[in-house]
Amino acid sequence: MSQDTRPVLIVSLAENQGAKTTTQDAVTSGQRLTLAGVTEKAAALGAKVTDRRVIRTAALVLAMFCMGLYFRIVDPTLIDLKDRLGVGYEEISRVLAGHTVGYFLSAVAGGLFMDLLPQYAWLVLGSSFFLAGVGTVGTPYATSLWGLVVMQHIAGWGHGFTDTAVTVLCTQLWGEQASVPLHATQAGYPLGSFAIQLIVIPFVSPDRKPSNGTTPLPFPVERSVPPQLTVDQATPPPLTMDQARLTSHIQWPYAGVAAAQFAMFVLFFYFQYSDMAHPERRKVKVKKTPQSISVSFSPGRFLKGSSGKASLLLFLLLLFYILVQAQMSAFTQYMVSYLVETRMYGKADANVVYSSFWVCIAVMRWLSTAVAAWVPVHVMLSVELTSLCAAAVAMAFWGATNKTVFWVLTCVCGLAVAPIVPGGNAWANQNLEASPVVFALCLIGAAIGGTASSSATGYLFEHVGPRSILYLFMGCCCALLLVFIIMQVSVSSIWDRMSSRKDRNEDVIEVEAGVTEKLYPQPSDV
C-alpha cells in the first residue's frame, strides 16, 4: 500500500450538547498528540498551579524559609555579638534564653487565640514577621547585654507566632490532606538556616590568632592535667569591644534579613485583608471552636473523653518536645563557637560545616515526605532517634577532636534529626485530636527545652569547657529515645491489655464486695 493511501482512523467524541468535538488521528506508528490536547493539559496543570491553596502553601514554605533566616542568624554571629559587648559565653546565653522565653509566651498566646478565632490566623502570621523584623534589625546595634536580650525577646515572640500560625493555616487549607503540605512547609526552615550560614561569612570578624604563636589558656592548668584537655579548652585572646565593632560588619546581613521579614509582614496582611473582603474565602476547614477557655484546655477534649490517658499523652508529648529542642539548642547554637574556640576550624570553615548540617536536614525533610506515605510514623521515629543517639555518642567520644569525623557525624545528625519534628506532629495527630492547643503545647515544650538548654550550655561552655556541650547533647538524645519508647508503649496494645486487665480486676473486686454484702446483710436490710 502506498504512502498516499494509508488508512487514517478518525475518532470523534461529541459532548452532550454537541457543541464541542475532538478529533484524534491514529497512524500505524501510534497515536499522534494534537495541539488541542496539549493546550487542554497545560490549562489543567495551570489551574492546579494557580489554585489558591497551592499559592498560599508556597507562601507558608517561604515563611518558614524566612523564619530560618532570622532565627539562625544568631548562631554564626554569636562570637561577634559576644565580643561587641565584651561578655563571656555564660552571659551571652541569656540572649538565647530571652529569645526562647518570648517563643514560649507567644506559643501560648498564639495557640489560644487561634483556637478561639481561627479566621484571623493570617493576621497572627503577619504580626509575627513584623515583630521578628523589629527584633532582628535592632540586634547588632544593641549597646548592652540587656538591650540585646530585649531585641531577641521581641524576635522570639515572632518566632512562636510563626510556628503556631503556619501549622494551623496549613491544616485549614488542606484539612485531612495536610500531611504532605505540613512536611513541605517544615522543609522551608532548614533551607533558610542553611542559606544564612553562607550569607554571613563575608561579614564576620577575622579569626583571632595569638600574637606570640602559642595558645594561652583562660585558666591555670596543673601539670597533672592531660595535654588533650588543655588543647580542647584553649582559646585565643578575645578582641576588645572597639576592635570587634571595627572588624565585624554583621549589621548588614541582619538588615537584609529584617527587610525580608517586613516583606512577609505585608504579604500576609494582604492575605488577611483579601479574606475579609471576600467572605466566601473565609470558609476555612476548621473544627468546631470551643466556647470557653476552660474547654480549650480540657484534656478529655483531645481523646474522646478519656481524660486520664489524654493527660498522660499530653505530658509525654510536652516532655518529648522539651528534649527535642534541648538537644538541638545544645548542638546547633554553640557549634560554630565550639569549632572556633577549640581551633578545629576557622570561622569561615566552621560556618561551612554548620551549613552542611542544615543541608542534610533540608534534604531529609523532603525525602521524609515521600517515606511517610509508606512507613508508619512510629517506625520512622524509632529509626531516626536510634540513629541520632548512636551519632551523638560517637560525636562525644570520637568526633570531638577529629575534624573529619566531626564533619561526617554532623551530617549524620542532620539526617537523623530532620524528620523528628514533623514526625512528632504526625504522631500527635494520629493519637490525639489535634488542635491549635495541642500544637501550642508542642511549642511550649520546645521553648522550655530551648531556654533550659541555652542557659546550661552557656554555663558549661564557659566554666567546664567546650567539649561538655557534646556530652549534654548526647544525654538529651538518649533521654529523648527513652521518652519516645514510653510514648509508644502508652498507645500500644500492651497498654490496652494492661488497662483492661486492671478494669477486670476492679470489676471482680466490686462483684465480690456485692456478694459479701448479700451474705452478710447490713442491719438496715434486715
Side-chain angles (χ1 to χ4, degrees):
M1 185 178 295
S2 64
Q3 185 176 0
D4 296 335
T5 59
R6 62 184 179 181
V8 178
L9 177 63
I10 307 296
V11 181
S12 298
L13 300 176
E15 294 186 349
N16 293 334
Q17 296 83 358
K20 182 178 179 181
T21 302
T22 303
T23 302
Q24 186 178 21
D25 296 338
V27 294
T28 55
S29 61
Q31 291 187 342
R32 187 170 54 196
L33 193 61
T34 63
L35 181 60
V38 173
T39 305
E40 184 177 354
K41 291 181 179 294
L45 180 61
K48 292 181 180 180
V49 172
T50 57
D51 183 87
R52 174 175 166 270
R53 295 187 302 171
V54 174
I55 293 175
R56 296 199 172 194
T57 303
L60 295 179
V61 175
L62 184 59
M64 294 299 287
F65 176 86
C66 291
M67 190 185 81
L69 292 178
Y70 76 76
F71 179 42
R72 289 300 172 184
I73 193 174
V74 177
D75 299 344
T77 59
L78 189 64
I79 296 177
D80 285 28
L81 292 174
K82 176 182 70 70
D83 292 342
R84 279 170 168 243
L85 298 178
V87 298
Y89 283 102
E90 183 181 5
E91 290 84 5
I92 204 67
S93 67
R94 300 172 191 168
V95 175
L96 306 176
H99 182 103
T100 51
V101 168
Y103 182 86
F104 171 85
L105 296 175
S106 61
V108 175
L112 183 58
F113 180 85
M114 284 182 288
D115 199 37
L116 298 174
L117 298 170
Q119 65 271 26
Y120 295 107
W122 291 112
L123 179 65
V124 174
L125 186 58
S127 302
S128 73
F129 281 98
F130 178 79
L131 293 172
V134 171
T136 301
V137 74
T139 292
Y141 295 102
T143 57
S144 66
L145 179 64
W146 287 109
L148 189 59
V149 171
V150 170
M151 289 294 102
Q152 281 300 302
H153 181 76
I154 295 174
W157 272 86
H159 186 190
F161 281 148
T162 303
D163 253 347
T164 308
V166 166
T167 305
V168 172
L169 284 164
C170 197
T171 55
Q172 286 183 5
L173 289 171
W174 295 97
E176 299 296 331
Q177 301 175 341
S179 178
V180 172
L182 278 172
H183 278 80
T185 55
Q186 289 293 330
Y189 169 68
L191 291 176
S193 302
F194 156 70
I196 195 61
Q197 312 306 319
L198 303 180
I199 292 173
V200 301
I201 288 177
F203 301 96
V204 296
S205 60
D207 295 326
R208 295 171 291 171
K209 296 181 180 179
S211 57
N212 56 1
T214 60
T215 304
L217 299 179
F219 52 86
V221 180
E222 298 180 0
R223 294 182 179 180
S224 59
V225 177
Q228 57 267 28
L229 281 181
T230 61
V231 173
D232 193 34
Q233 299 191 16
T235 178
L239 300 174
T240 64
M241 295 173 60
D242 293 336
Q243 290 174 334
R245 293 185 179 277
L246 288 174
T247 58
S248 172
H249 304 285
I250 57 174
Q251 65 271 16
W252 298 114
Y254 272 91
V257 170
Q261 312 314 315
F262 290 129
M264 299 304 294
F265 156 71
V266 174
L267 174 64
F268 293 127
F269 261 68
Y270 168 75
F271 283 170
Q272 183 66 53
Y273 169 79
S274 177
D275 286 352
M276 299 295 291
H278 301 84
E280 69 277 3
R281 296 182 181 178
R282 298 173 62 182
K283 297 178 181 180
V284 294
K285 297 179 180 179
V286 294
K287 299 177 181 179
K288 185 178 180 181
T289 57
Q291 300 300 317
S292 64
I293 296 179
S294 60
V295 175
S296 295
F297 292 101
S298 176
R301 172 191 171 198
F302 307 117
L303 196 62
K304 298 180 180 179
S306 300
S307 300
K309 187 173 182 179
S311 299
L312 174 63
L313 294 181
L314 290 172
F315 171 75
L316 291 173
L317 196 64
L318 177 70
L319 189 58
F320 179 83
Y321 276 90
I322 287 175
L323 292 170
V324 167
Q325 191 59 42
Q327 56 89 16
M328 280 289 287
S329 297
F331 187 60
T332 59
Q333 291 180 340
Y334 289 88
M335 184 194 294
V336 174
S337 300
Y338 174 84
L339 295 176
V340 173
E341 297 295 351
T342 57
R343 307 195 68 188
M344 291 177 65
Y345 292 96
K347 286 185 180 180
D349 293 336
N351 281 314
V352 173
V353 174
Y354 189 33
S355 65
S356 65
F357 173 79
W358 290 107
V359 168
C360 293
I361 289 183
V363 170
M364 182 52 69
R365 282 199 173 170
W366 285 109
L367 291 177
S368 66
T369 303
V371 174
W374 302 96
V375 181
V377 63
H378 66 277
V379 175
M380 290 181 62
L381 284 172
S382 300
V383 174
E384 293 153 9
L385 292 173
T386 303
S387 302
L388 181 62
C389 284
V393 172
M395 178 82 73
F397 290 100
W398 295 289
T401 56
N402 189 299
K403 298 169 61 175
T404 304
V405 174
F406 188 95
W407 197 338
V408 171
L409 291 176
T410 295
C411 297
V412 174
C413 288
L415 295 172
V417 81
I420 291 178
V421 172
N425 291 339
W427 190 93
N429 190 43
Q430 286 184 1
N431 297 283
L432 291 167
E433 184 180 345
S435 75
V437 173
V438 174
F439 295 134
L441 181 71
C442 298
L443 300 183
I444 290 169
I448 295 174
T451 303
S453 180
S454 297
S455 301
T457 307
Y459 177 84
L460 293 173
F461 199 104
E462 186 76 22
H463 296 283
V464 180
R467 191 167 181 173
S468 60
I469 69 173
L470 300 182
Y471 294 112
L472 178 62
F473 172 61
M474 178 185 68
C476 291
C477 291
C478 295
L480 180 61
L481 177 60
L482 178 61
V483 169
F484 177 72
I485 292 173
I486 299 174
M487 289 169 58
Q488 192 56 37
V489 170
S490 66
V491 297
S492 65
S493 57
I494 299 175
W495 184 277
D496 294 336
R497 287 197 297 268
M498 293 172 57
S499 300
S500 61
R501 187 180 305 166
K502 181 180 178 182
D503 294 338
R504 286 196 300 269
N505 292 336
E506 291 177 352
D507 294 339
V508 170
I509 294 173
E510 291 178 359
V511 170
E512 291 177 349
V515 171
T516 303
E517 291 178 356
K518 293 302 180 182
L519 292 176
Y520 302 97
Q522 300 297 324
S524 59
D525 297 334
V526 178

